Amino acid sequence: PDSAGAAPPAAEPVADIDMAVDELPDTSNSVEDGALPPAVTVQFRWGTQTFRRTEEAVDGRPTYRARGTLDGKGGLFLRYSAERGGGAWELGSPSGGCLYFLASQATSPSAFVGDNPWSRVSGGVCHIIVMQSAPTESG
């Protein structure tokens, strides 16, 4: 009873929430063209960089590149590598190679959007934030 002495209304029956597992939506990280972000922005400790999806793929996963640099050696890349301990996404440059890596077999950066601890190739860990974004003319 409430403060006025009336009983609370009877609860409505709840719809059957026991679904078979095969009726649940598929939340695995399957890649369809629409599921791949056209660009991702990566926030490092020193600043942010936007990476555009390229036509290049590694093990069926897209490769992302930042705009070129003044030294002519190209910009940074975000790509998958199956060679690093069961699979990892790598951030690096063509001239310096991989600088950071995130152990993951994800098929798209969408799977690790947010703040994650990336391993430094030189040792240690660095928190890097990955965000989905739209590509721009300036990179």
Side-chain angles (χ1 to χ4, degrees):
D2 63 14
S3 61
E12 293 285 326
V14 177
D16 185 11
I17 59 172
D18 294 326
M19 296 174 113
V21 171
D22 54 345
E23 292 177 30
L24 295 174
D26 180 14
T27 57
S28 64
N29 193 12
S30 61
V31 176
E32 300 169 8
D33 285 338
L36 297 174
V40 294
T41 298
V42 177
Q43 182 177 335
F44 299 94
R45 289 178 60 117
W46 45 266
T48 60
Q49 185 72 59
T50 298
F51 295 76
R52 291 178 143 190
R53 190 177 71 225
T54 68
E55 296 298 319
E56 182 183 347
V58 176
D59 290 326
R61 292 160 175 90
T63 295
Y64 291 80
R65 293 201 184 277
R67 61 185 164 84
T69 59
L70 296 176
D71 65 6
K73 296 182 180 180
L76 299 173
F77 61 73
L78 170 63
R79 67 179 179 207
Y80 181 79
S81 173
E83 298 174 16
R84 188 176 297 281
W89 282 82
E90 299 178 334
L91 282 163
S93 70
S95 59
C98 176
L99 302 171
Y100 307 97
F101 64 94
L102 177 68
S104 170
Q105 293 182 351
T107 54
S108 163
S110 296
F112 50 87
V113 165
D115 184 350
N116 289 291
W118 289 64
S119 298
R120 288 187 180 118
V121 171
S122 59
V125 172
C126 181
H127 279 262
I128 295 175
I129 299 170
V130 176
M131 301 164 275
Q132 286 189 180
S133 62
T136 63
E137 289 300 316
S138 64

